[in-house]
Amino acid sequence: MKIAVFAGDGIGPEVTAEAVRVLEALDLPGLELTEGDVGGAAYKKHGHPLPEATLDIARQSDAILFGAVGDFDCDHLERHLRPEQAILGLRKAMGFFANLRPAKVFAGLEDASALRPEVASAIDLLIVRELNGDVYFGEKGIRKLDDGRRQGWDMMSYAEDEVRRIAHVGFKAAQSRAKAGESGKLCSVDKANVLETSQLWRDVMIEVSAEYPDVELSHMYVDNAAMQLVRNPGQFDTIVTGNLFGDILSDQASMCVGSIGLLASASLAEGTCGLYEPIHGSAPDIAGKDLANPMATILSAAMLLRHSLGMEAQAARIEAAVGKALTDGIRGGDLGGSMGTRAIGDAILERL
């Protein structure tokens, strides 16, 4: 079981270290951890945010545990050399096209949500986000018009096969989350009333739905979905959407459950290889101060065990340990507490 560990920038090394401690505590036979440089740290050492040596480690691994990238010192660089290109480059090079972002309120954290406790307590959803298309990977640029004004442009597009591929992931996820004897629920989020890209998206979703008669498909415009996540998030089970909309909605969902420091994610390819990371950023303002909450990264390690290594029991153990720690009042600064990164890791290890 070869795991690549790419800690990255800011708080990335701190939170990743705690997730590694948890993985090692499971004493899994054959576990091999190999570190690699990404992001601003990689640029400063190697002149590129995603060195070829790091890519080689990724290609030889069964899964990747990723911290965070982002460094204010690199903001002056050309876009292709900025730290964020490491994660975009890994997604493209490794074929990671499906991003899974679960959002669920842990018992005892209802009051931490920005929503009313009775609304927040109903949140238990999964956002399936397409990763390799949309405006993030379309042609883009800044050009000068005839009158001297500058114009920025980004092209949004999806090919039919790209939509079909992520649709299958969404439907299968809805199937797996369905309660015994009930149909799965999949809500496809788009902007088909104004975007031709979204109209194709919706058409393909409807076509693929014929292969999943046990899943109830619904559609929602992205602006309404953003409103409904605040008004009545309990109505959602599985959401499937494009790259841009998924990026925004998943961060919104994180604050609905209480803290961005609690949400893990998985980025999956066609096979079992995946990249697992917390959805928060590098937070350079608190880096090195033992202030970051490592729970999202530890929960990402649980997703790694489940989706790439097929270790459901061990993944559930980690999630139960995190849940017990929260129930027992273990809180970082993001949840109004005062416990540091290492102390939170210690508390989870004790409960594991």
Side-chain angles (χ1 to χ4, degrees):
M1 296 181 293
K2 297 181 179 180
I3 310 300
V5 180
F6 300 155
D9 306 320
I11 63 173
E14 296 170 75
V15 294
T16 304
E18 299 309 309
V20 167
R21 290 175 67 204
V22 169
L23 285 174
E24 291 177 338
L26 292 173
D27 196 23
L28 303 173
L31 182 67
E32 297 180 17
L33 303 175
T34 304
E35 296 183 357
D37 297 319
V38 290
Y43 175 80
K44 291 173 182 178
K45 289 175 65 176
H46 309 285
H48 196 279
L50 184 60
E52 193 60 37
T54 298
L55 264 178
D56 287 341
I57 294 171
R59 293 184 179 117
Q60 296 168 22
S61 300
D62 298 307
I64 301 167
L65 183 63
F66 196 92
V69 289
D71 186 336
F72 293 147
D73 292 343
C74 299
D75 284 352
H76 67 285
L77 297 174
E78 295 180 47
R79 189 170 297 279
H80 72 283
L81 293 175
R82 292 183 185 178
E84 294 75 17
Q85 295 304 309
I87 188 65
L88 295 177
L90 277 169
R91 289 171 182 168
K92 203 69 174 177
M94 299 295 292
F96 298 136
F97 71 93
N99 185 231
L100 309 184
R101 294 194 177 188
K104 182 178 181 178
V105 173
F106 284 92
L109 287 187
E110 295 84 359
D111 290 335
S113 171
L115 307 179
R116 295 195 310 273
E118 63 272 20
V119 176
S121 63
I123 300 174
D124 182 1
L125 60 89
L126 174 69
I127 296 178
V128 178
R129 168 190 169 195
E130 200 286 327
L131 282 181
N132 278 347
D134 218 329
V135 293
Y136 292 171
F137 289 96
E139 294 181 16
K140 59 183 84 272
I142 297 177
R143 57 195 168 201
K144 185 169 288 189
L145 302 177
D146 292 341
D147 60 7
R149 291 178 300 145
R150 289 177 298 163
Q151 180 187 58
W153 58 279
D154 299 87
M155 188 174 80
M156 171 187 279
S157 70
Y158 269 119
E160 179 178 351
D161 58 322
E162 292 176 312
V163 182
R164 196 173 299 278
R165 183 172 63 170
I166 195 67
H168 283 293
V169 175
F171 279 104
K172 290 175 182 176
Q175 281 180 326
S176 67
R177 287 173 52 86
K179 296 180 176 63
E182 297 183 9
S183 297
K185 292 174 58 180
L186 180 65
C187 179
S188 176
V189 172
D190 59 40
K191 193 63 177 168
N193 55 336
V194 293
L195 298 176
E196 290 300 329
T197 302
S198 283
Q199 186 59 59
L200 174 68
W201 177 283
R202 182 172 292 208
D203 292 344
V204 173
M205 284 291 165
I206 293 172
E207 292 171 11
V208 175
S209 68
E211 302 179 38
Y212 299 89
D214 57 339
V215 177
E216 177 188 333
L217 174 65
S218 61
H219 305 276
M220 191 175 289
Y221 296 142
V222 63
D223 43 353
N224 186 30
M227 180 181 71
Q228 294 296 332
L229 271 175
V230 175
R231 176 180 173 272
N232 180 23
Q235 69 183 282
F236 296 109
D237 181 81
T238 306
I239 294 173
V240 62
T241 190
N243 208 346
L244 175 62
F245 299 156
D247 194 2
I248 296 167
L249 292 178
S250 56
D251 277 9
Q252 181 186 355
S254 73
M255 290 314 299
C256 290
V257 302
S259 172
I260 202 169
L262 292 176
L263 292 198
S265 74
S267 299
L268 307 178
E270 292 279 9
T272 59
C273 186
L275 182 148
Y276 302 85
E277 61 175 324
I279 76 166
H280 61 66
S282 60
D285 55 321
I286 62 170
K289 299 179 181 179
D290 192 41
L291 294 175
N293 185 349
M295 288 181 172
T297 313
I298 292 171
L299 291 169
S300 296
M303 294 188 76
L304 182 156
L305 294 176
R306 174 176 291 116
H307 293 286
S308 284
L309 301 184
M311 295 184 166
E312 174 60 35
Q314 290 88 339
R317 279 188 64 196
I318 293 175
E319 291 164 349
V322 172
K324 184 65 165 61
L326 289 167
T327 301
D328 292 343
I330 303 300
R331 302 282 190 277
D334 58 319
L335 293 171
S338 59
M339 297 190 69
T341 310
R342 186 74 173 186
I344 294 174
D346 287 340
I348 293 170
L349 283 170
E350 289 172 8
R351 287 152 182 82
L352 191 71

